[in-house]
Amino acid sequence: MTATVALKGIPKYNSHCHLGGEVPLATVKKYASPEQMEAIQKGFAAIVEGHDYEKAFFIFPLISQVINTLERLKEAAFATCERMKADNNRIVLMRTGLKLLEGKSYEEYLKAVLEGFEDAASEDFCVRLLLSLKRTSTLDMAKETVDLALQYRGRGVVGIDISDVSTKGDINTIMPELLRAKGAGLKIAVHMGESVLETDQMTILEKLEPDLIDHGVNLCDEAVAWVKAHKTPVTVCLTSSIAVKMHEASSPHPWIAEHLRSGHPIDLGTDDSTVFGDICLTDEFERLASDQGVDKATEIMKTSFERAKKWMQACL
Ligand SMILES: [Zn+2]
């Protein structure tokens, strides 16, 4: 049996993925004009070749311009889940930012996503949602997002995610709403350590005490010490972190190295599988296996899956 077949056959937890970058290419193609598709394909090629971190975000509005109705969104959410199921992803922690489509409310957007997920739900497939905010989000947007997260908790939403360009905006603007979410028991995941230029790492860690660190590649020494001391799980996206140059391909992901040293909890994720070369979670584990061996990759996969089962139970 090849490593790919063996790794594919094991139930997996996809800890870090964004709906906008996970929509299967076939769904995008179905609705894109030839001009839109050409721009998207060019964008994908540029990103796979390697793109500076801040410049890689241009691709997401291109996809949003195609998946621009609630019906398409619901279909995209369903198709994304089906694709993950085919790769034996059994537990998925998805992220999406609320948008206004067709002049409808943010709640209508959320309902379309959750309906797509529900259509794909089965006994052995569970997808849970984090609603995304940005460091540039307004306080009003944060309030509306946290309100909806609380309203739809127990119906698929488990928390809030901070993503998008980590060097722009001021996290303090939305901090009161993040603290309200935290206080109400929602989970908090934060993209950080994406750039050495971030200045808010300790503010976020000390004020918000996140439940998950997304990427964490370029954390300052103090932040690394905090994450280690709190044993906060880190989501590791091997392909994307190299593609957007968070670290060089020749140097190991720091949290894989830390896991091997100390057993620090890590979970793998695809980040934006369609955008980063139409990869799947098995490809990410195979990349890990090529460095650390199939046995170690399998062990990390199984440990992460068991921890995710408990975590998801605690979220509900
Ligand atoms: Zn991400």
Side-chain angles (χ1 to χ4, degrees):
M1 192 184 286
T2 66
T4 304
V5 172
L7 293 169
K8 191 170 180 136
I10 301 170
K12 285 177 276 295
Y13 168 44
N14 195 336
S15 68
H16 181 159
C17 45
H18 304 263
L19 182 56
E22 292 281 339
V23 178
L25 201 53
T27 311
V28 177
K29 269 186 183 156
K30 185 173 165 186
Y31 295 112
S33 68
E35 295 75 26
Q36 284 175 319
M37 207 58 226
E38 194 187 336
I40 288 169
Q41 296 278 31
K42 267 190 194 163
F44 287 170
I47 287 173
V48 170
E49 270 174 30
H51 224 295
D52 287 345
Y53 163 68
E54 288 185 11
K55 292 180 189 156
F57 286 85
F58 74 93
I59 197 74
F60 299 107
L62 295 179
I63 297 171
S64 297
Q65 282 162 21
V66 176
I67 308 300
N68 61 355
T69 70
L70 294 175
E71 206 48 46
R72 288 181 188 182
L73 178 65
K74 182 179 163 185
E75 181 183 338
F78 172 77
T80 299
C81 291
E82 289 298 306
R83 179 170 174 245
M84 290 179 156
K85 282 156 80 173
D87 185 44
N88 227 343
N89 293 201
R90 297 276 184 89
I91 303 174
V92 174
L93 188 58
M94 189 76 79
R95 294 145 179 79
T96 192
L98 298 172
K99 297 178 187 70
L100 299 172
L101 297 186
E102 304 179 280
K104 304 277 176 55
S105 66
Y106 291 123
E107 184 171 6
E108 291 300 316
Y109 179 98
L110 176 57
K111 279 162 70 177
V113 172
L114 293 177
E115 282 169 16
F117 289 170
E118 273 164 30
D119 288 349
S122 70
E123 225 168 65
D124 55 7
F125 178 74
C126 160
V127 54
R128 293 289 179 259
L129 188 62
L130 299 172
L131 299 185
S132 301
L133 287 168
K134 307 174 182 183
R135 288 162 174 83
T136 53
S137 295
T138 63
L139 187 58
D140 284 349
M141 185 67 212
K143 181 177 184 322
E144 197 155 352
T145 299
V146 172
D147 282 346
L148 283 169
L150 289 169
Q151 194 181 331
Y152 283 82
R153 178 162 54 170
R155 287 186 273 175
V157 180
V158 295
I160 301 291
D161 147 71
I162 311 295
S163 47
D164 207 71
V165 183
S166 62
T167 48
K168 289 188 180 154
D170 180 356
I171 194 73
N172 290 304
T173 306
I174 60 169
M175 188 58 85
E177 286 301 318
L178 297 174
L179 290 171
R180 181 167 72 94
K182 177 93 181 168
L186 290 171
K187 300 294 181 188
I188 306 284
V190 183
H191 279 60
M192 62 190 312
E194 294 183 284
S195 165
V196 290
L197 302 175
E198 291 165 18
T199 56
D200 59 7
Q201 293 175 358
M202 289 315 296
T203 302
I204 289 172
L205 293 174
E206 287 178 340
K207 282 194 184 171
L208 205 51
E209 300 192 1
D211 299 281
L212 282 180
I213 305 297
D214 288 333
H215 296 302
V217 174
N218 293 295
L219 296 178
C220 65
D221 291 348
E222 203 181 354
V224 169
W226 192 99
V227 173
K228 286 192 325 195
H230 288 76
K231 296 190 167 50
T232 309
V234 179
T235 68
V236 171
C237 306
L238 292 170
T239 298
S240 76
S241 61
I242 292 169
V244 301
K245 300 182 180 173
M246 285 183 218
H247 66 99
E248 294 299 323
S250 55
S251 63
H253 190 294
W255 290 99
I256 297 286
E258 182 57 34
H259 173 80
L260 296 173
R261 260 196 307 272
S262 69
H264 189 93
I266 55 166
D267 304 294
L268 265 57
T270 45
D271 209 357
D272 298 288
S273 61
T274 304
V275 172
F276 292 109
D278 215 13
I279 56 165
C280 63
L281 190 56
T282 296
D283 294 331
E284 294 296 276
F285 277 102
E286 195 167 341
R287 194 185 265 264
L288 178 63
S290 70
D291 282 342
Q292 306 301 333
V294 175
D295 288 351
K296 180 49 85 177
T298 304
E299 180 195 315
I300 289 173
M301 186 188 277
K302 288 182 174 175
T303 306
S304 169
F305 185 71
E306 291 305 316
R307 196 154 33 76
K309 275 203 276 193
K310 288 185 196 140
W311 198 76
M312 289 296 171
Q313 280 298 325
C315 287
L316 300 175

